[in-house]
Amino acid sequence: MTDGVYVGNAGKDAALDRGWLLGHFKDPSDPRYSEALEIKWGVHPKGDERAHWVTGEERTALQVLVSGRFRVDFPDRSIVLAEQGDYVVWGRGVDHSWYAEEESVVLTVRWPSVPGYAVAERDDSGARDAGH
């Protein structure tokens, strides 16, 4: 990383930081550090769901389905990403949640990267802890 270039594998690197590959939570000396945006490689087993609804969202988000079947819920409707490349975009202030209808891989891009933002997520035991 000394030359400002980072080469990695999304599946392997995602396991190191709850799926997030790029954003404010990386070390400032890491080429993956960014205050402009965040990128996540989300691998979700069938039935995986968000621990709770996101309310008061401060960012814009784009989710792209890589594989599987993934539902994004909004207060007034649900969007199902069913074919590779299906995507949904939502803006600031849009409450949302999600559910993996099948084992799914989803690429998420959010902007800007908001320092200090974290939600409680469940670990394998069902307990919740702070995550991104």
XYZ file of all heavy atoms in Angstrom, residues 3-100:
784
model
N 2.483 2.629 -2.280
C 2.399 3.430 -3.503
C 1.008 4.005 -3.733
O 0.723 4.562 -4.786
C 2.844 2.606 -4.714
C 1.945 1.406 -4.985
O 1.008 1.157 -4.199
O 2.172 0.722 -5.992
N 0.117 3.886 -2.762
C -1.229 4.424 -2.908
C -2.169 3.540 -3.702
O -3.244 3.967 -4.082
N -1.759 2.288 -3.937
C -2.595 1.345 -4.685
C -2.908 0.168 -3.774
O -2.029 -0.348 -3.088
C -1.855 0.841 -5.947
C -2.679 -0.224 -6.655
C -1.543 2.001 -6.878
N -4.170 -0.259 -3.786
C -4.571 -1.426 -3.010
C -5.248 -2.399 -3.959
O -6.145 -2.019 -4.704
C -5.545 -1.032 -1.895
C -5.961 -2.215 -1.050
C -5.258 -2.543 0.095
C -7.020 -3.020 -1.429
C -5.612 -3.631 0.866
C -7.385 -4.121 -0.672
C -6.672 -4.423 0.470
O -7.028 -5.513 1.222
N -4.825 -3.644 -3.930
C -5.446 -4.700 -4.724
C -5.953 -5.743 -3.747
O -5.229 -6.145 -2.836
C -4.430 -5.335 -5.700
C -5.083 -6.475 -6.478
C -3.883 -4.278 -6.649
N -7.192 -6.152 -3.904
C -7.750 -7.121 -2.970
C -8.854 -7.933 -3.599
O -9.103 -7.854 -4.805
N -9.514 -8.699 -2.776
C -10.658 -9.503 -3.176
C -11.834 -9.095 -2.301
O -11.718 -9.129 -1.064
C -10.342 -10.993 -2.992
C -11.539 -11.863 -3.275
O -12.396 -12.046 -2.421
N -11.598 -12.385 -4.482
N -12.936 -8.702 -2.929
C -14.085 -8.198 -2.168
C -14.570 -9.209 -1.147
O -14.866 -8.853 -0.006
C -15.215 -7.799 -3.119
N -14.647 -10.475 -1.524
C -15.133 -11.482 -0.595
C -14.245 -11.632 0.622
O -14.730 -11.755 1.749
N -12.938 -11.614 0.424
C -12.003 -11.758 1.541
C -11.898 -10.465 2.349
O -11.927 -10.481 3.574
C -10.632 -12.162 1.027
C -10.609 -13.556 0.448
C -9.251 -13.895 -0.132
C -9.281 -15.274 -0.774
N -8.015 -15.587 -1.458
N -11.764 -9.332 1.684
C -11.617 -8.057 2.386
C -12.883 -7.673 3.136
O -12.826 -7.049 4.193
C -11.242 -6.943 1.414
C -9.822 -7.072 0.888
O -9.072 -7.945 1.380
O -9.465 -6.308 -0.019
N -14.041 -8.048 2.600
C -15.316 -7.700 3.235
C -15.419 -8.300 4.634
O -15.993 -7.695 5.529
C -16.480 -8.156 2.369
N -14.840 -9.467 4.819
C -14.910 -10.136 6.118
C -14.164 -9.365 7.208
O -14.414 -9.568 8.392
C -14.338 -11.547 5.995
N -13.298 -8.458 6.818
C -12.483 -7.724 7.789
C -13.202 -6.530 8.411
O -12.809 -6.054 9.469
C -11.189 -7.240 7.110
C -10.329 -8.342 6.494
C -9.138 -7.724 5.762
C -9.872 -9.328 7.554
N -14.253 -6.007 7.760
C -14.908 -4.798 8.264
C -16.408 -4.807 7.943
O -16.928 -3.891 7.328
C -14.239 -3.551 7.679
C -14.517 -2.296 8.496
O -15.220 -2.367 9.523
O -14.030 -1.233 8.092
N -17.079 -5.885 8.348
C -18.526 -6.029 8.165
C -18.988 -5.785 6.730
O -20.065 -5.245 6.492
C -19.293 -5.117 9.116
C -19.067 -5.438 10.574
C -20.148 -4.792 11.413
N -20.062 -5.231 12.769
C -20.575 -6.383 13.236
N -21.191 -7.190 12.438
N -20.451 -6.691 14.499
N -18.142 -6.117 5.778
C -18.502 -5.989 4.376
C -18.041 -4.707 3.722
O -18.019 -4.606 2.499
N -17.671 -3.712 4.505
C -17.305 -2.417 3.942
C -15.895 -2.445 3.369
O -14.942 -2.854 4.031
C -17.461 -1.309 4.985
C -18.902 -1.141 5.307
C -19.558 -1.605 6.409
C -19.883 -0.525 4.478
N -20.894 -1.306 6.315
C -21.131 -0.640 5.139
C -19.845 0.101 3.244
C -22.303 -0.154 4.604
C -21.022 0.602 2.715
C -22.233 0.471 3.390
N -15.767 -2.046 2.129
C -14.491 -2.046 1.414
C -13.850 -0.677 1.356
O -12.634 -0.566 1.217
C -14.697 -2.550 -0.022
C -15.287 -3.948 -0.158
C -15.569 -4.249 -1.633
C -14.363 -4.988 0.440
N -14.657 0.370 1.420
C -14.156 1.729 1.253
C -15.022 2.678 2.070
O -16.234 2.521 2.100
C -14.236 2.094 -0.238
C -13.568 3.382 -0.679
C -12.965 3.175 -2.051
C -14.563 4.511 -0.716
N -14.400 3.626 2.760
C -15.165 4.600 3.530
C -14.332 5.246 4.620
O -13.131 4.991 4.748
N -14.987 6.069 5.441
C -14.305 6.829 6.487
C -13.707 5.948 7.571
O -12.814 6.366 8.289
C -15.270 7.836 7.127
C -16.264 7.190 8.039
N -17.445 6.671 7.573
C -16.226 6.938 9.368
C -18.109 6.143 8.591
N -17.392 6.297 9.685
N -14.187 4.709 7.709
C -13.753 3.839 8.788
C -12.437 3.127 8.513
O -11.929 2.426 9.372
C -14.839 2.812 9.110
C -15.632 2.406 7.906
C -15.150 1.473 7.021
C -16.848 3.011 7.659
C -15.876 1.125 5.904
C -17.572 2.667 6.534
C -17.096 1.733 5.662
N -11.860 3.299 7.330
C -10.526 2.756 7.040
C -9.478 3.731 7.564
O -9.750 4.915 7.757
C -10.335 2.543 5.536
C -11.301 1.554 4.919
C -11.076 0.160 5.445
C -11.986 -0.836 4.766
N -11.879 -2.169 5.331
N -8.275 3.233 7.788
C -7.180 4.091 8.251
C -6.892 5.157 7.197
O -6.849 4.849 6.004
C -5.928 3.235 8.492
C -4.819 4.031 9.120
O -4.123 4.769 8.379
O -4.639 3.922 10.345
N -6.697 6.413 7.599
C -6.446 7.490 6.627
C -5.254 7.239 5.699
O -5.202 7.789 4.601
C -6.219 8.726 7.501
C -7.007 8.440 8.737
C -6.849 6.950 8.957
N -4.319 6.387 6.090
C -3.181 6.088 5.215
C -3.516 5.005 4.181
O -2.737 4.750 3.266
C -1.974 5.642 6.046
O -2.254 4.412 6.696
N -4.670 4.377 4.313
C -5.106 3.301 3.415
C -5.755 3.914 2.180
O -6.595 4.814 2.309
C -6.110 2.430 4.174
C -6.504 1.156 3.460
O -6.699 1.185 2.229
O -6.660 0.134 4.155
N -5.417 3.481 0.965
C -6.063 4.024 -0.237
C -7.581 3.843 -0.237
O -8.290 4.527 -0.973
C -5.434 3.229 -1.378
C -4.137 2.740 -0.856
C -4.363 2.524 0.621
N -8.097 2.933 0.608
C -9.553 2.703 0.676
C -10.260 3.672 1.611
O -11.479 3.637 1.742
C -9.820 1.263 1.111
C -9.283 0.249 0.098
C -9.344 -1.154 0.628
N -8.494 -1.262 1.802
C -8.563 -2.262 2.687
N -9.435 -3.211 2.536
N -7.749 -2.278 3.721
N -9.527 4.562 2.249
C -10.123 5.584 3.104
C -10.813 6.616 2.222
O -10.259 7.084 1.226
C -9.050 6.267 3.950
C -9.601 7.423 4.764
C -10.217 7.191 5.978
C -9.515 8.722 4.290
C -10.730 8.236 6.726
C -10.031 9.776 5.034
C -10.635 9.526 6.244
O -11.154 10.566 6.970
N -12.051 6.975 2.575
C -12.776 7.996 1.817
C -13.815 8.656 2.694
O -14.531 7.981 3.433
C -13.482 7.364 0.614
O -14.281 8.329 -0.045
N -13.883 9.954 2.608
C -14.978 10.689 3.243
C -16.060 10.990 2.219
O -17.122 11.495 2.557
C -14.445 11.974 3.874
C -13.529 11.712 5.048
C -12.992 12.989 5.682
O -13.329 14.097 5.214
O -12.237 12.875 6.655
N -15.778 10.687 0.949
C -16.728 10.972 -0.121
C -17.794 9.893 -0.244
O -18.966 10.194 -0.467
C -15.989 11.122 -1.447
N -17.398 8.611 -0.089
C -18.370 7.540 -0.244
C -17.929 6.292 0.484
O -16.808 6.198 0.975
C -18.656 7.236 -1.713
C -17.494 6.822 -2.598
C -17.351 5.326 -2.669
C -17.728 7.375 -3.992
N -18.853 5.321 0.563
C -18.613 4.029 1.190
C -19.059 2.950 0.218
O -20.061 3.126 -0.485
C -19.423 3.888 2.486
C -19.137 4.968 3.498
C -20.122 5.011 4.649
O -21.166 4.318 4.612
O -19.859 5.771 5.592
N -18.324 1.848 0.176
C -18.684 0.721 -0.683
C -18.675 -0.542 0.158
O -17.727 -0.797 0.900
C -17.717 0.580 -1.870
C -17.779 1.839 -2.748
C -18.055 -0.673 -2.689
C -16.798 1.850 -3.897
N -19.744 -1.323 0.026
C -19.877 -2.561 0.785
C -20.141 -3.740 -0.144
O -20.941 -3.646 -1.072
C -21.038 -2.452 1.786
C -21.220 -3.692 2.649
C -22.327 -3.489 3.664
C -22.397 -4.645 4.626
N -23.446 -4.439 5.647
N -19.476 -4.854 0.122
C -19.732 -6.131 -0.538
C -20.519 -6.943 0.477
O -19.973 -7.484 1.430
C -18.413 -6.807 -0.875
C -18.518 -8.095 -1.610
C -18.387 -9.353 -1.079
C -18.756 -8.279 -3.003
N -18.532 -10.296 -2.051
C -18.756 -9.652 -3.255
C -18.975 -7.399 -4.064
C -18.953 -10.188 -4.521
C -19.170 -7.931 -5.328
C -19.161 -9.301 -5.547
N -21.824 -6.996 0.321
C -22.680 -7.660 1.296
C -23.034 -9.068 0.872
O -23.644 -9.265 -0.175
N -22.641 -10.050 1.668
C -22.983 -11.449 1.437
C -24.011 -11.827 2.494
O -23.723 -11.763 3.695
C -21.735 -12.353 1.523
C -22.110 -13.818 1.325
C -20.688 -11.911 0.493
N -25.215 -12.189 2.043
C -26.331 -12.405 2.964
C -26.924 -13.799 2.778
O -27.388 -14.128 1.685
C -27.435 -11.366 2.707
C -26.955 -9.960 2.823
N -26.798 -9.336 4.038
C -26.569 -9.059 1.883
C -26.352 -8.106 3.841
N -26.204 -7.916 2.546
N -26.949 -14.616 3.836
C -27.623 -15.915 3.731
C -29.131 -15.705 3.599
O -29.659 -14.649 3.993
C -27.274 -16.611 5.038
C -26.895 -15.521 5.986
C -26.362 -14.385 5.149
N -29.813 -16.689 3.050
C -31.269 -16.622 2.937
C -31.867 -16.343 4.306
O -31.467 -16.933 5.313
C -31.817 -17.944 2.388
C -33.315 -17.951 2.214
C -33.809 -19.253 1.628
C -35.318 -19.213 1.453
N -35.803 -20.447 0.812
N -32.797 -15.397 4.370
C -33.463 -15.041 5.626
C -32.758 -13.958 6.426
O -33.302 -13.478 7.415
N -31.565 -13.557 5.996
C -30.850 -12.489 6.695
C -31.664 -11.196 6.552
O -32.240 -10.927 5.499
C -29.463 -12.308 6.060
C -28.519 -11.474 6.898
O -28.774 -11.290 8.103
O -27.500 -11.016 6.335
N -31.726 -10.430 7.620
C -32.476 -9.177 7.568
C -31.786 -8.116 8.412
O -30.996 -8.423 9.303
C -33.914 -9.378 8.029
C -34.048 -9.835 9.455
C -35.488 -10.167 9.827
O -36.419 -9.695 9.159
O -35.664 -10.913 10.793
N -32.098 -6.870 8.110
C -31.529 -5.746 8.858
C -32.018 -5.824 10.291
O -33.178 -6.152 10.537
C -31.988 -4.446 8.222
C -31.297 -3.226 8.805
C -31.337 -2.129 7.782
N -30.421 -1.062 7.838
C -29.160 -1.055 8.222
N -28.603 -2.122 8.659
N -28.435 0.031 8.185
N -31.131 -5.534 11.241
C -31.479 -5.621 12.662
C -32.660 -4.707 13.007
O -33.493 -5.051 13.828
C -30.261 -5.270 13.519
N -32.726 -3.531 12.383
C -33.846 -2.602 12.580
C -33.867 -1.614 11.428
O -32.905 -1.488 10.676
C -33.737 -1.879 13.932
C -32.442 -1.151 14.134
N -32.180 0.080 13.597
C -31.323 -1.508 14.809
C -30.966 0.461 13.925
N -30.412 -0.484 14.657
N -34.973 -0.928 11.269
C -35.112 0.061 10.203
C -34.107 1.191 10.373
O -33.818 1.611 11.497
C -36.519 0.656 10.224
C -37.516 -0.193 9.499
C -38.040 -1.373 9.928
C -38.070 0.068 8.216
N -38.898 -1.859 8.984
C -38.943 -0.993 7.932
C -37.916 1.094 7.288
C -39.666 -1.062 6.748
C -38.637 1.031 6.113
C -39.494 -0.027 5.845
N -33.616 1.688 9.260
C -32.789 2.898 9.271
C -33.744 4.073 9.141
O -34.558 4.122 8.217
C -31.784 2.902 8.092
C -31.047 4.237 8.047
C -30.813 1.754 8.222
N -33.662 4.996 10.077
C -34.488 6.200 10.033
C -33.564 7.410 10.066
O -32.460 7.351 10.611
C -35.471 6.257 11.215
O -34.744 6.210 12.433
C -36.457 5.090 11.167
N -33.995 8.486 9.461
C -33.192 9.703 9.453
C -31.906 9.555 8.656
O -30.882 10.127 9.015
N -31.951 8.784 7.587
C -30.769 8.546 6.760
C -30.150 9.861 6.299
O -30.844 10.771 5.867
C -31.154 7.712 5.530
C -30.026 7.425 4.588
C -28.896 6.645 5.223
O -29.050 5.434 5.398
O -27.865 7.260 5.547
N -28.824 9.959 6.402
C -28.101 11.170 6.023
C -27.386 11.044 4.680
O -26.709 11.969 4.267
C -27.070 11.511 7.107
C -27.691 11.833 8.445
C -26.638 12.197 9.480
O -25.569 12.686 9.101
O -26.907 11.983 10.674
N -27.521 9.881 4.038
C -26.768 9.637 2.806
C -27.691 9.215 1.677
O -28.833 8.843 1.897
C -25.748 8.518 3.050
C -24.752 8.889 4.117
C -24.182 7.688 4.774
N -25.256 6.873 5.331
C -25.058 5.820 6.090
N -23.852 5.438 6.373
N -26.066 5.134 6.569
N -27.157 9.232 0.489
C -27.798 8.634 -0.672
C -27.192 7.249 -0.826
O -26.012 7.057 -0.519
C -27.535 9.482 -1.936
O -28.087 10.790 -1.730
C -28.154 8.860 -3.168
N -27.969 6.276 -1.289
C -27.456 4.919 -1.417
C -27.869 4.300 -2.747
O -28.927 4.611 -3.292
C -27.962 4.054 -0.274
N -27.012 3.423 -3.230
C -27.256 2.617 -4.424
C -26.977 1.180 -4.039
O -25.916 0.894 -3.473
C -26.298 3.040 -5.551
C -26.062 2.048 -6.686
C -27.281 1.956 -7.589
C -24.832 2.446 -7.484
N -27.929 0.271 -4.287
C -27.692 -1.149 -4.067
C -27.867 -1.874 -5.388
O -28.876 -1.699 -6.077
C -28.651 -1.731 -3.035
C -28.277 -1.351 -1.625
C -28.997 -2.168 -0.585
O -30.175 -2.464 -0.723
N -28.295 -2.517 0.483
N -26.867 -2.704 -5.727
C -26.868 -3.473 -6.973
C -26.815 -4.951 -6.625
O -25.930 -5.384 -5.869
C -25.650 -3.112 -7.853
C -25.686 -3.894 -9.155
C -25.576 -1.618 -8.115
N -27.729 -5.736 -7.192
C -27.745 -7.172 -6.961
C -26.686 -7.851 -7.828
O -26.678 -7.689 -9.046
C -29.122 -7.755 -7.281
C -29.273 -9.256 -7.013
C -29.248 -9.526 -5.510
C -30.561 -9.768 -7.634
N -25.791 -8.576 -7.182
C -24.789 -9.369 -7.887
C -25.353 -10.772 -8.121
O -25.250 -11.324 -9.212
C -23.464 -9.416 -7.094
C -22.450 -10.326 -7.769
C -22.900 -8.003 -6.914
N -25.969 -11.345 -7.067
C -26.592 -12.665 -7.195
C -27.655 -12.816 -6.119
O -27.645 -12.118 -5.107
C -25.540 -13.772 -7.061
O -24.948 -13.755 -5.779
N -28.594 -13.731 -6.356
C -29.632 -14.029 -5.380
C -30.918 -13.274 -5.625
O -31.247 -12.905 -6.765
N -31.657 -13.046 -4.549
C -32.933 -12.316 -4.571
C -32.997 -11.535 -3.268
O -32.991 -12.118 -2.185
C -34.098 -13.301 -4.691
C -35.445 -12.651 -4.858
C -36.519 -13.728 -5.087
N -37.828 -13.147 -5.067
C -38.488 -12.719 -6.152
N -37.936 -12.817 -7.324
N -39.687 -12.198 -6.027
N -33.072 -10.205 -3.363
C -32.895 -9.319 -2.226
C -33.983 -8.262 -2.224
O -34.216 -7.613 -3.235
C -31.510 -8.660 -2.336
C -31.013 -8.007 -1.090
C -30.444 -8.756 -0.074
C -31.069 -6.634 -0.943
C -29.948 -8.153 1.071
C -30.575 -6.013 0.190
C -30.019 -6.776 1.201
N -34.672 -8.105 -1.096
C -35.773 -7.143 -1.001
C -35.340 -5.937 -0.178
O -34.772 -6.080 0.903
C -36.977 -7.808 -0.335
C -38.223 -6.926 -0.341
C -39.386 -7.599 0.349
N -39.198 -7.543 1.795
C -39.378 -8.566 2.624
N -39.744 -9.750 2.188
N -39.188 -8.409 3.924
N -35.613 -4.753 -0.701
C -35.361 -3.513 0.021
C -36.730 -2.915 0.355
O -37.549 -2.702 -0.538
C -34.511 -2.524 -0.804
C -34.211 -1.277 0.019
C -33.216 -3.190 -1.273
N -36.967 -2.690 1.639
C -38.262 -2.193 2.105
C -38.192 -0.710 2.409
O -37.235 -0.236 3.037
C -38.693 -2.950 3.361
C -38.897 -4.430 3.106
O -39.519 -4.781 2.085
O -38.439 -5.236 3.937
N -39.209 -0.005 1.953
C -39.393 1.416 2.232
C -40.755 1.565 2.900
O -41.582 0.655 2.828
C -39.324 2.223 0.931
C -38.016 2.075 0.214
C -37.907 1.234 -0.888
C -36.884 2.758 0.644
C -36.692 1.073 -1.546
C -35.672 2.608 -0.005
C -35.572 1.760 -1.104
N -41.029 2.677 3.554
C -42.306 2.815 4.261
C -43.537 2.578 3.388
O -44.524 2.018 3.869
C -42.273 4.256 4.780
C -40.820 4.553 4.941
C -40.166 3.838 3.784
N -43.473 2.939 2.111
C -44.654 2.841 1.262
C -44.613 1.728 0.227
O -45.583 1.517 -0.497
C -44.904 4.174 0.554
C -43.761 4.575 -0.359
O -42.651 4.024 -0.218
O -43.975 5.440 -1.225
N -43.487 0.981 0.142
C -43.392 -0.105 -0.833
C -42.122 -0.924 -0.603
O -41.228 -0.512 0.125
C -43.398 0.425 -2.253
C -42.212 1.301 -2.583
C -42.294 1.794 -4.009
N -41.352 2.870 -4.228
C -40.862 3.174 -5.403
N -41.237 2.490 -6.452
N -40.023 4.161 -5.538
N -42.093 -2.074 -1.264
C -40.914 -2.934 -1.250
C -40.443 -3.131 -2.675
O -41.254 -3.237 -3.600
C -41.244 -4.291 -0.630
O -41.545 -4.144 0.740
N -39.133 -3.185 -2.855
C -38.517 -3.401 -4.158
C -37.760 -4.716 -4.077
O -36.964 -4.919 -3.151
C -37.518 -2.266 -4.504
C -38.181 -0.899 -4.435
C -36.845 -2.528 -5.841
C -39.293 -0.674 -5.425
N -37.998 -5.617 -5.032
C -37.280 -6.880 -5.059
C -36.251 -6.826 -6.180
O -36.592 -6.582 -7.342
C -38.239 -8.075 -5.250
C -37.447 -9.370 -5.384
C -39.216 -8.161 -4.081
N -34.997 -7.033 -5.802
C -33.913 -7.136 -6.770
C -33.797 -8.622 -7.086
O -33.437 -9.427 -6.216
C -32.617 -6.580 -6.183
C -32.697 -5.155 -5.605
C -31.368 -4.759 -4.978
C -33.122 -4.167 -6.674
N -34.156 -9.019 -8.308
C -34.268 -10.436 -8.635
C -33.317 -10.896 -9.740
O -32.997 -12.072 -9.815
C -35.708 -10.750 -9.050
N -32.880 -9.984 -10.592
C -31.984 -10.346 -11.685
C -30.649 -9.647 -11.501
O -30.606 -8.484 -11.076
C -32.589 -9.936 -13.029
C -33.855 -10.690 -13.375
C -34.367 -10.330 -14.761
O -33.550 -9.984 -15.646
O -35.581 -10.396 -14.951
N -29.572 -10.340 -11.828
C -28.250 -9.748 -11.693
C -28.240 -8.376 -12.357
O -28.706 -8.220 -13.487
C -27.198 -10.641 -12.346
C -25.781 -10.163 -12.120
C -24.768 -11.115 -12.710
O -24.845 -11.451 -13.884
N -23.834 -11.553 -11.893
N -27.757 -7.392 -11.632
C -27.714 -6.025 -12.152
C -28.898 -5.169 -11.754
O -28.856 -3.952 -11.921
N -29.977 -5.766 -11.222
C -31.081 -4.949 -10.720
C -30.541 -4.039 -9.622
O -29.687 -4.448 -8.827
C -32.193 -5.820 -10.120
C -33.072 -6.496 -11.150
O -32.916 -6.224 -12.367
O -33.917 -7.317 -10.734
N -31.025 -2.810 -9.582
C -30.557 -1.893 -8.548
C -31.647 -0.938 -8.126
O -32.653 -0.762 -8.805
C -29.307 -1.126 -8.991
C -29.518 -0.118 -10.090
C -29.787 1.213 -9.786
C -29.430 -0.482 -11.430
C -29.969 2.154 -10.788
C -29.608 0.446 -12.433
C -29.873 1.756 -12.111
O -30.050 2.686 -13.109
N -31.419 -0.335 -6.965
C -32.328 0.665 -6.422
C -31.472 1.779 -5.819
O -30.394 1.524 -5.290
C -33.293 0.041 -5.373
C -32.540 -0.560 -4.202
C -34.324 1.051 -4.897
N -31.946 3.006 -5.947
C -31.273 4.179 -5.396
C -32.276 4.929 -4.542
O -33.430 5.076 -4.927
C -30.772 5.125 -6.525
C -30.111 6.373 -5.933
C -29.833 4.414 -7.473
N -31.835 5.390 -3.375
C -32.693 6.241 -2.553
C -31.860 7.346 -1.938
O -30.658 7.234 -1.800
C -33.444 5.448 -1.480
C -32.600 4.789 -0.459
C -32.194 5.310 0.734
C -32.048 3.474 -0.515
N -31.426 4.410 1.416
C -31.325 3.267 0.667
C -32.092 2.447 -1.458
C -30.660 2.086 0.946
C -31.433 1.272 -1.188
C -30.726 1.099 -0.005
N -32.533 8.424 -1.604
C -31.850 9.619 -1.127
C -31.938 9.832 0.364
O -32.482 9.016 1.114
N -31.402 10.957 0.757
C -31.384 11.347 2.165
C -32.792 11.390 2.720
O -33.729 11.790 2.035
C -30.729 12.709 2.309
C -29.284 12.708 1.837
C -28.722 14.078 1.869
N -28.422 14.386 3.270
C -27.658 15.375 3.648
N -27.128 16.187 2.762
N -27.420 15.587 4.923
N -32.917 10.965 3.960
C -34.209 11.031 4.639
C -35.144 9.883 4.330
O -36.254 9.847 4.859
N -34.754 8.927 3.487
C -35.626 7.808 3.135
C -35.373 6.645 4.101
O -34.293 6.055 4.109
C -35.404 7.360 1.675
C -36.262 6.144 1.357
C -35.707 8.504 0.716
N -36.378 6.331 4.916
C -36.281 5.208 5.844
C -36.274 3.907 5.041
O -36.941 3.801 4.002
C -37.463 5.200 6.808
C -37.508 6.432 7.701
O -36.506 7.177 7.762
O -38.556 6.644 8.335
N -35.535 2.910 5.533
C -35.453 1.662 4.777
C -34.996 0.502 5.652
O -34.469 0.689 6.742
C -34.500 1.807 3.593
C -33.099 2.111 4.000
N -32.693 3.381 4.336
C -32.020 1.316 4.155
C -31.410 3.352 4.667
N -30.972 2.107 4.565
N -35.201 -0.689 5.132
C -34.735 -1.920 5.726
C -34.526 -2.905 4.577
O -34.775 -2.560 3.416
C -35.762 -2.461 6.731
O -35.198 -3.525 7.481
N -34.077 -4.128 4.872
C -33.870 -5.103 3.805
C -34.004 -6.523 4.324
O -33.937 -6.778 5.520
C -32.528 -4.903 3.109
C -31.327 -4.858 4.015
C -30.655 -3.730 4.417
C -30.654 -5.950 4.642
N -29.613 -4.065 5.248
C -29.584 -5.431 5.401
C -30.842 -7.324 4.635
C -28.716 -6.236 6.136
C -29.976 -8.129 5.373
C -28.930 -7.572 6.098
N -34.187 -7.459 3.368
C -34.361 -8.873 3.680
C -33.839 -9.700 2.507
O -34.184 -9.425 1.348
C -35.848 -9.174 3.912
C -36.140 -10.617 4.207
C -35.932 -11.136 5.485
C -36.612 -11.463 3.225
C -36.197 -12.465 5.771
C -36.881 -12.800 3.496
C -36.661 -13.293 4.767
O -36.926 -14.599 5.050
N -33.021 -10.706 2.793
C -32.495 -11.595 1.751
C -33.492 -12.730 1.533
O -33.598 -13.645 2.353
C -31.131 -12.136 2.145
